[in-house]
Amino acid sequence: MITKFKYIHQTMVLTIAVSLLSSVGINSAEAAVPTCSILPNAGSTTVDASVSFTATTQGLKGKKSYSWVFSGSAIPTESSSADVNVTYSSVGDPFNVSLDVTDSKGNAATCSTTITITDGNSTPPTGQALFEEKCIMCHGEFGAGGYAHRSIQGAQASRIRNAMTKWPEMGFLTYLSDTELTQIESYLNSDLPRGERLPKNGDIANGEVQFRQSCAYCHSFGGAPIEPPRPGPDLMGVATAYSDTWLGAWIDSPGTLVKAGAYDKTQLANFPYVMPDLKHPAVDVWDIVNFLVNQEGIGEVVSSDPAFTSDQDPGFETSKQVYFNHCAGCHGIYRTGATGPDIGALRSQAIGTDGLKSILHYGTPAGMGNFGQSGVLTAEKISNLAAYLQLPPPDAPPLPMAEIQASWELVIPVADRPTTESGPEHTRNWENYTGVILRDAGQVAIIDGDTNEEVVRLTTGFAVHILRSSSSGRYFYAIGRDGLVTLIDLWTTIPTIVANVKGCHDARSVEGSKATGYEDTYLIEGCYWPPQYVVYDGLTLEPKQKVDVPMDDINGVTLIENRVASIIASHHEPIWVASLKEAGYVSVIDYSDPTGLDFPIVSNIATAKFLHDGGLDHTGNFYIVAANANNKMVVIDLKNKNLAKMFISGAVPHPGRGANWHDPDYGWVNATPHIGEGKVTVYTTWEDPITESPTSPRPNGSGGSIEIGPWEVVREIALPSSGSLFIKTHPNSPWVLVDMTLSATGYDKHICAISKATGALDRCFEVAENGRAVHLEFNIDGSEVWVSDWATDGQVIVLDSTTLTEIRRFVNLQTPTGKFNVYNTAHDIY
Ligand code: DHE
C-alpha cells in the first residue's frame, strides 16, 4: 500500500467549497455575473514578512476601484489597487482577506481568501514540504510513481517546468518559482527510498464495491437524473475527460489538490462543498479509477437491492428506533425534512440503497453525521436503515393529557424544600453553577464555577439536550430527547431532582416564565412529537395544559408533522414565543392565565420554514431565530408581536441563541454562524428601539456616523470551515467565539475568535483533544469561556476569556455538549 502524506503542511486553508469532480469541469456553469479572484488564493507566510496579493477580475469593465479588507494584524501598504503588499505582526490561522471591486458602471464583485501567519520558527517550505504540498497527489510518496506510475526521482527543475506544458493537467503549477522548483529538484535528487508502487491494473470488482460504498451518495453513474440533484455530478464520461492519474489524485486527496490551486475558484463555487478525503488506501482509490474507466464501456451503475422490502420484516421494527434516535431530529418523524433534507420514501428510492448506505456511513460536509465511520451504527443497522427509508414511514403514537399526568412524579414537595426566607441550604455561589450536558450518559454534571468542583451528577432524560434556568435561577430545567422534563433545585445541599414529567415522545425545548409576577411560576415544554406543547407548574411540574399546535403551514398546506423548536420567554411580558418548525410560524403563547390555565396561542406570526434555534437581542425586545432551510434569519418584534424583518444570512444558519455585542462601526449587532458554509454573518439590531428610527445614524469607527437601520447585514466574516453550530459572547469578553463542530475539512476541534474591537476574525485554534469542539459558555463574570470536547472520554476546556489560553479542564465527562451557567442562562446573557 502506498502511504499517504507523511508531511502535511498545516498552513494552507481555503474557504471555498466544491464537490467531487465538480471542480474538474463537469457541470460547471459559465459565470453570469462579474467575479474576482485573489492570488495567492490561500497560503502562509511568517510574521513581519511581506506578502503580495493580486486581484484579477472577470466581467468588470473600465476603471475599477478596489477595496481590500484584512483581518488580524495586517498592515497593508495601501488598499485601493489590484496589487497590495501586506505584513502581519502576529500569528494566526487563518486571517481573512476580502476584496470588493466595482467598475465605473457600478458593477461589483466580491471575493475572499485566507492566509495563515506562522511564527517563522516552523520548518520553512523545503523541497520535501513543497513536493508534499504540490506533487505527491499524482506522483506518490518520494516521487516513486503514485497514480502517475512512473518514478520522478532524480528529475531536474527544467524537466518539471517542461512537464507543465506537456501535461496540461500540471499547468496549474506554473506559479511555482524557479527557486521552489530547484528545492523540489534537490529533494527528488536526495537519497530517497524506492517507495511502493501501485499495480498497473486495478481490481475492477473491488473498485465497484468501493464506488458503491463510498461514492454512490454524491455521484450517480448514468441513469435518469434525480431532483434535487445529488451534490456531485454524474460520473458517466469522467474517465474519458480526465486521465487516470488525475482521477486517482482527486479521489485520494481532493483537499490537497484544491489547496495546491488546481481549480479555478469560480468553478469551485458552483458546488456546495469540497469533496471530503474518505481516507481510502491508495490501492482502493486505484481500483475505483479502474472501475470508472471500465464502467464507461458498460453503462449505468444500477443500485443494489435493499435488505428488505416489507414493513413486516424484523429489520423494519428495529430500524424504527434507530431512525428515531439518530435521524428524526433533523429529518422529521415523517422524514419530510427540516434541518436535514426530505428523505421520504420516494426520495430515498431515487438515491438508492448504495447511496443511502454510503451517506449513512460517511456523512457529508453539509452536516450529516458519519454514523458508520464513527462507529455509532453497525454495517447491519445501516443496511436495514437504508431499506427502512425506502418504505413509507410508520404512524407515530399520540401522547394524551391522561398519560402525561400519569408520568408526573413529584419527588420532593415544595414544603420540604428550602424556603425563600431560609435561603439555600449551602453557602456556595449557586448563581455561578454551570450545568454540563452529558448527552450519551443521559446525565447533567453541575459544576461550581467558583471552586471548580463537580457538585453532583444527575440522571435526566434520554440523550439529554439542553438546560434552561428558571427566572430566579434557582431551578434548572433539563429536557431529554424522550420528552422527559427534570426539575433540579439548586438550593438543596447538593442539587436535587425534585420533579419529573414526560409531555412528549420527542422533544428539544423547555423554558420558564420570566415576566415580573410570574418568576418561576410556569414552564413550557415544546414537543417534536406529538405536535403539541405542554405547560406545567414551575415548582412542581404538575401538568396544567396540553395545547395542540396548528397543522397548517404559512402557505396553507396541511402538515403531518409540526415540531416545536426553540422557545424563548420575554422578560417584559407574560409570553413565550415558540418556533413551529414545519409551519414556519412563530407562535406567541400567553401565560398570564386570563381565562383559566388555557395558555393559548394568541398570535401566529408567518415567517419562513424551517424554524430552528434563536435567542433575544441585547434589549430583549426582539427574538431572532433561524429559518435554516431557507437560509434566513427571522426577527420577531416581541412588543408589537409581529415580524420585524427576514433576511438571507447564508447556508443553513445555526445561531444557538446567537450573540449580542457593540461593534465599533455599527453599534449593537447580533450574529449567526452557519452549518452549510464557513461564515459568520453580523447584522445590526436596534440601538434603542424606543427612540431610534429605522434609519437612525449609527456610530462608525472613524468617529462619524452612517445611515443604516436595524437588521442590515454589515459583516460577513469568513471562517476556515463550514459546520458551525454555536456562537457566543459575554459583555466582559473582547471576543465573539464560534465553533465548527460539524467541519468535514479538519476544523471540528477548532474554535475561532472574532475581535469585537475590529469586527474581524482574529484567530482560529484547536481546543478539543479527544472529539469535536462544541458549544461555548461563559462563567458569571465573563472572565472564562468553557468549551466542550465532545467525545466518550470528553472534557470541558476552560479558557481565559481575554487571552484565550487554557486555564483549567474538567475531565472524565461522557459526551459533554451544552453548558449553561445559571446567571447567564436566567438573564439571557450571550
Ligand atoms: Fe440542538 C438548541 C434542536 C442536534 C446541542 N437544538 C437547540 C434548539 C433546538 C434544537 C430546537 C433550541 C432550543 C431552545 O432554545 O428552546 N438539535 C436540535 C435538533 O433538531 C437537532 C438538529 C437534531 C436532533 O436529533 O436533536 C439537534 N443539538 C444537536 C446536537 O447534535 C447537539 C450539538 C448535541 C446534542 O444534544 O446531541 C445539540 N442544541 C444543542 C445545544 C443547544 C441546542 C447545546 C442550546 C444552545 C444554547 O446555547 O442555548
Side-chain angles (χ1 to χ4, degrees):
M1 187 186 86
I2 291 192
T3 358
K4 293 173 123 189
F5 309 93
K6 218 173 77 179
Y7 164 77
I8 299 177
H9 206 273
Q10 54 164 14
T11 49
M12 297 183 69
V13 184
L14 196 59
T15 55
I16 42 184
V18 68
S19 170
L20 172 61
L21 294 177
S22 51
S23 51
V24 286
I26 300 177
N27 285 353
S28 68
E30 287 197 9
V33 288
T35 55
C36 62
S37 51
I38 303 169
L39 281 176
N41 68 5
S44 71
T45 187
T46 52
V47 166
D48 295 333
S50 168
V51 53
S52 303
F53 289 101
T54 301
T56 51
T57 60
Q58 297 85 36
L60 293 175
K61 301 193 171 51
K63 187 169 163 31
K64 301 180 195 74
S65 58
Y66 297 83
S67 173
W68 295 83
V69 178
F70 299 93
S71 74
S73 57
I75 309 164
T77 44
E78 51 82 41
S79 57
S80 56
S81 65
D83 303 293
V84 276
N85 285 323
V86 186
T87 50
Y88 288 83
S89 58
S90 63
V91 297
D93 176 15
F95 290 127
N96 194 42
V97 177
S98 59
L99 170 66
D100 289 328
V101 196
T102 48
D103 67 14
S104 45
K105 300 204 173 344
N107 300 310
T110 303
C111 44
S112 66
T113 185
T114 55
I115 182 136
T116 296
I117 307 301
T118 62
D119 59 11
N121 297 324
S122 51
T123 322
T126 57
Q128 179 182 347
L130 278 167
F131 175 83
E132 290 175 356
E133 282 172 10
K134 319 286 179 190
C135 320
I136 197 171
M137 302 78 88
C138 292
H139 296 285
E141 202 175 23
F142 316 121
Y147 302 107
H149 277 79
R150 284 173 54 194
S151 167
I152 57 164
Q153 290 180 357
Q156 305 297 305
S158 56
R159 187 178 146 209
I160 303 173
R161 180 73 73 204
N162 287 343
M164 292 176 194
T165 315
K166 187 172 172 196
W167 307 103
E169 285 171 335
M170 260 183 85
F172 75 92
L173 287 173
T174 46
Y175 65 79
L176 287 174
S177 67
D178 289 344
T179 312
E180 288 170 319
L181 289 186
T182 309
Q183 286 173 325
I184 294 173
E185 174 188 308
S186 12
Y187 170 66
L188 291 174
N189 285 274
S190 60
D191 189 16
L192 294 174
R194 191 167 175 274
E196 289 179 74
R197 295 288 185 91
L198 284 169
K200 188 162 180 296
N201 297 313
D203 177 345
I204 292 168
N206 179 49
E208 175 171 355
V209 171
Q210 299 297 332
F211 174 87
R212 289 182 186 275
Q213 279 176 3
S214 318
C215 317
Y217 169 67
C218 286
H219 301 280
S220 54
F221 194 103
I226 64 169
E227 277 303 325
R230 295 176 193 191
D234 183 84
L235 296 185
M236 178 71 101
V238 73
T240 316
Y242 302 96
S243 70
D244 51 8
T245 301
W246 192 261
L247 292 175
W250 175 250
I251 298 169
D252 188 302
S253 314
T256 315
L257 273 178
V258 168
K259 285 176 189 167
Y263 303 107
D264 178 73
K265 205 168 168 181
T266 49
Q267 279 183 310
L268 299 180
N270 290 319
F271 296 92
Y273 44 76
V274 179
M275 176 175 116
D277 175 357
L278 298 183
K279 311 236 177 299
H280 283 101
V283 71
D284 281 347
V285 170
W286 186 235
D287 290 347
I288 295 171
V289 172
N290 278 267
F291 165 69
L292 294 174
V293 173
N294 183 63
Q295 191 67 23
E296 292 214 343
I298 299 171
E300 180 186 354
V301 175
V302 178
S303 192
S304 308
D305 289 335
F308 52 83
T309 54
S310 158
D311 59 10
Q312 300 305 306
D313 191 282
F316 187 89
E317 197 51 36
T318 51
S319 299
K320 224 157 89 174
Q321 196 59 37
V322 175
Y323 180 86
F324 177 79
N325 291 348
H326 298 288
C327 321
C330 289
H331 299 281
I333 281 210
Y334 286 101
R335 310 180 198 157
T336 47
T339 303
D342 177 342
I343 48 164
L346 289 178
R347 174 72 182 161
S348 294
Q349 286 160 15
I351 293 170
T353 301
D354 297 325
L356 293 168
K357 282 166 66 172
S358 116
I359 190 174
L360 285 164
H361 185 82
Y362 288 108
T364 72
M368 163 85 187
N370 56 347
F371 294 118
Q373 210 173 28
S374 60
V376 171
L377 295 180
T378 60
E380 188 190 0
K381 281 190 175 149
I382 285 180
S383 179
N384 284 342
L385 199 50
Y388 173 82
L389 291 173
Q390 293 176 71
L391 291 165
D395 281 335
L399 188 60
M401 191 60 168
E403 281 183 40
I404 298 171
Q405 270 158 345
S407 75
W408 175 43
E409 185 194 7
L410 182 59
V411 183
I412 302 183
V414 176
D416 298 340
R417 300 180 205 161
T419 61
T420 314
E421 293 69 38
S422 67
E425 288 172 350
H426 56 79
T427 54
R428 290 179 184 272
N429 180 9
W430 54 274
E431 285 186 297
N432 195 26
Y433 281 176
T434 290
V436 180
I437 300 282
L438 305 179
R439 185 199 186 279
D440 293 356
Q443 292 181 325
V444 171
I446 297 178
I447 295 175
D448 179 333
D450 280 13
T451 64
N452 301 311
E453 293 163 278
E454 184 178 320
V455 188
V456 71
R457 205 174 279 205
L458 298 168
T459 296
T460 56
F462 168 77
V464 54
H465 188 223
I466 62 168
L467 288 172
R468 290 291 182 242
S469 289
S470 69
S471 177
S472 69
R474 171 179 173 169
Y475 292 100
F476 260 146
Y477 314 130
I479 180 80
R481 278 179 166 75
D482 54 1
L484 188 76
V485 181
T486 308
L487 184 67
I488 302 166
D489 187 356
L490 303 180
W491 280 19
T492 44
T493 311
I494 53 165
T496 310
I497 295 175
V498 292
N500 287 305
V501 69
K502 177 179 158 77
C504 318
H505 289 303
D506 187 11
R508 299 292 180 280
S509 50
V510 66
E511 177 67 309
S513 52
K514 290 187 172 172
T516 308
Y518 295 90
E519 295 91 342
D520 301 6
T521 307
Y522 298 121
L523 72 106
I524 180 173
E525 177 184 21
C527 299
Y528 261 23
W529 187 264
Q532 61 194 30
Y533 61 84
V534 186
V535 179
Y536 305 100
D537 181 284
L539 300 179
T540 64
L541 293 189
E542 181 186 3
K544 295 285 181 194
Q545 188 61 262
K546 171 182 90 70
V547 179
D548 295 339
V549 297
M551 295 304 281
D552 288 328
D553 75 6
I554 47 171
N555 306 314
V557 174
T558 301
L559 301 164
I560 49 171
E561 181 169 10
N562 192 12
R563 288 176 282 177
V564 181
S566 95
I567 307 179
I568 287 276
S570 163
H571 290 256
H572 306 310
E573 275 186 80
I575 55 165
W576 290 298
V577 277
S579 289
L580 304 186
K581 187 184 281 286
E582 278 75 13
Y585 284 112
V586 173
S587 295
V588 181
I589 299 163
D590 183 343
Y591 62 72
S592 67
D593 197 13
T595 52
L597 296 178
D598 55 354
F599 305 99
I601 293 178
V602 289
S603 152
N604 276 316
I605 303 165
T607 64
K609 296 165 79 164
F610 293 97
L611 297 170
H612 190 69
D613 53 348
L616 297 173
D617 76 326
H618 72 289
T619 67
N621 288 326
F622 294 90
Y623 165 58
I624 309 162
V625 58
N628 54 28
N630 265 290
N631 303 332
K632 284 181 180 162
M633 293 303 287
V634 168
V635 186
I636 300 294
D637 180 337
L638 295 179
K639 281 194 159 171
N640 296 309
K641 300 176 186 55
N642 59 15
L643 177 66
K645 184 91 182 247
M646 276 201 288
F647 57 90
I648 300 271
S649 71
V652 196
H654 194 285
R657 281 170 294 162
N660 293 299
W661 74 97
H662 202 265
D663 181 282
D665 292 337
Y666 302 107
W668 279 101
V669 292
N670 185 279
T672 185
H674 299 83
I675 294 180
E677 68 180 300
K679 182 172 80 171
V680 170
T681 298
V682 181
Y683 34 86
T684 51
T685 62
W686 291 80
E687 288 287 293
D688 173 359
I690 311 274
T691 58
E692 188 189 356
S693 82
T695 53
S696 287
R698 304 176 82 87
N700 81 10
S702 33
S705 63
I706 44 174
E707 297 286 323
I708 186 166
W711 320 121
E712 299 291 340
V713 173
V714 286
R715 295 186 193 278
E716 293 185 289
I717 302 167
L719 300 177
S721 171
S722 58
S724 290
L725 292 181
F726 300 107
I727 189 166
K728 191 64 71 73
T729 191
H730 185 282
N732 294 340
S733 173
W735 308 109
V736 180
L737 298 164
V738 59
D739 61 24
M740 291 163 291
T741 312
L742 302 179
S743 168
T745 52
Y747 285 88
D748 55 323
K749 294 183 187 312
H750 285 58
I751 62 169
C752 291
I754 294 164
S755 160
K756 286 186 190 171
T758 64
L761 183 68
D762 187 90
R763 66 190 89 161
C764 298
F765 53 98
E766 194 167 309
V767 178
E769 244 179 22
N770 302 335
R772 297 166 185 259
V774 69
H775 196 250
L776 311 127
E777 174 63 306
F778 287 81
N779 63 344
I780 189 168
D781 65 8
S783 58
E784 297 173 356
V785 60
W786 297 28
V787 188
S788 298
D789 179 357
W790 185 7
T792 309
D793 52 344
Q795 325 180 60
V796 168
I797 295 163
V798 180
L799 308 177
D800 179 294
S801 83
T802 304
T803 61
L804 299 181
T805 50
E806 181 179 333
I807 48 180
R808 184 183 324 119
R809 63 175 65 191
F810 300 100
V811 298
N812 297 326
L813 300 174
Q814 186 182 349
T815 54
T817 52
K819 299 156 297 301
F820 303 88
N821 175 273
V822 169
Y823 186 87
N824 295 341
T825 311
H827 293 85
D828 284 283
I829 294 172
Y830 32 79

